[in-house]
Amino acid sequence: MLVWERPEPPDRPTPAPLSRERIVRAAIRLADADGLDAVSLRKVAGALDVGPMRLYGYIATKEELLDLMVDAVHAEIRPTGDGWREVLRSLAEATRRAAHRHEWLADLIGGRPQLGPNTLASGEAVAAGMGGVDLGTVVPAIAAVNAYVIGAVRREITERRAERASGMDQRQWQATFGPYLRRTFATGRFPALAAVVHDGPHLDADRNFRTGLDFLLDGIGAHIAS
C-alpha cells in the first residue's frame, strides 16, 4: 500500500505526539537549512525529540519521506489564470518560486510523476485550465513547460550553490575568467561565440527565465493556432 493510502498509527498519549505532517515539516526544515544530506529518519527523529523507531510507524523508508516532502511543497504550486497561456505561465513561475524557497526540490523533480494529493491537485488545476485545447496538444505542452522549468531551475540552483562554494558571485566569476576569454577570442577561432559574448544581451535570471518561457509559449500558441 502506498504511503498516501496507508493509515497512520492510532493516536496515543506520549510526551511528543507524532503525525506524518509533523515529520514532513521537520524534514523540510532540515532540508531548507542544510540540503538533502541533512535529511534522514534518524536526523528527523532527533529534530522531533523522539526515537527513530517511532517514525517507522508513519514512514517506512527515506524514499517515502522524500516523496512526502515533494508533495508537501506542491501545496505551494497552485496554477491559476484565464486560458491555457496564463495557466502554463502560472505553473512555470509557481514551480520556480517553490524551488527557490526549497532548493533541494531541484534535486527531486523531473523523474517519474509524483502521485501525492497535492501534486495531483496541481496537475488537475493545469489540465482544467487548458480546457478547450485538444488533449493531443495539452499533454506535450505541459511536458514541455515542465521540462523547461526543471532545466532552468536546476541551472539557477547550481549557480547559487557554486557561488556559495566558491565565494564568488557571477560578476566576480566573470572578472576572473574574462582575461582568458579575451585571449581565446582574439585567436579568431570562435567568431560566432565571441559576437554572442561581446554583443549579445546579458539578462538577469528573472528576465532570462521569462524570455525563454515566452519563446516556448509562443511556439505552443503557434501550434494551437494551426
Side-chain angles (χ1 to χ4, degrees), residues 23-34:
I23 292 168
V24 172
R25 284 203 308 264
I28 288 175
R29 286 195 296 270
L30 291 174
D32 287 348
D34 297 306

Side-chain angles (χ1 to χ4, degrees), residues 27-225:
I28 288 175
R29 286 195 296 270
L30 291 174
D32 287 348
D34 297 306
L36 289 178
D37 287 345
V39 177
S40 68
L41 293 181
R42 181 173 297 278
K43 292 175 181 177
V44 173
L48 292 170
D49 196 27
V50 300
M53 294 307 297
R54 283 198 58 200
L55 269 59
Y56 285 102
Y58 299 86
I59 298 171
T61 65
K62 181 177 178 179
E63 286 68 32
E64 282 191 350
L65 177 58
L66 296 178
D67 284 342
L68 289 165
M69 291 166 63
V70 171
D71 190 65
V73 171
H74 269 81
E76 304 173 22
I77 303 173
R78 285 291 183 269
T80 60
D82 296 323
W84 68 266
R85 189 179 184 106
E86 286 188 22
V87 168
L88 289 179
R89 180 179 297 281
S90 176
L91 168 65
E93 293 181 343
T95 304
R96 180 175 181 245
R97 286 193 300 270
H100 282 191
R101 286 190 293 267
H102 311 284
E103 287 188 6
W104 51 269
L105 184 66
D107 300 316
L108 298 178
I109 55 176
R112 289 179 174 177
Q114 298 287 330
L115 301 177
N118 291 314
T119 312
L120 294 177
S122 177
E124 171 69 17
V126 176
M130 296 190 70
V133 179
D134 70 279
L135 290 178
T137 299
V138 168
V139 174
I142 294 173
V145 170
N146 281 328
Y148 171 76
V149 174
I150 290 166
V153 161
R154 284 181 174 167
R155 181 179 56 79
E156 291 174 358
I157 298 305
T158 298
E159 173 65 23
R160 283 188 179 189
R161 290 169 175 169
E163 287 186 5
R164 291 197 295 266
S166 68
M168 292 190 295
D169 62 21
Q170 188 174 49
R171 286 184 176 276
Q172 292 169 321
W173 184 87
Q174 290 170 343
T176 299
F177 288 90
Y180 160 74
L181 286 179
R182 284 192 291 271
R183 291 192 303 271
T184 301
F185 291 155
T187 66
R189 293 171 57 202
F190 309 105
L193 184 58
V196 170
V197 173
H198 289 151
D199 303 322
H202 296 278
L203 306 179
D204 63 24
D206 289 340
R207 291 178 61 199
N208 195 54
F209 179 84
R210 288 167 186 153
T211 300
L213 181 60
D214 280 336
F215 289 166
L216 176 58
L217 295 177
D218 287 348
I220 294 171
H223 179 82
I224 291 174

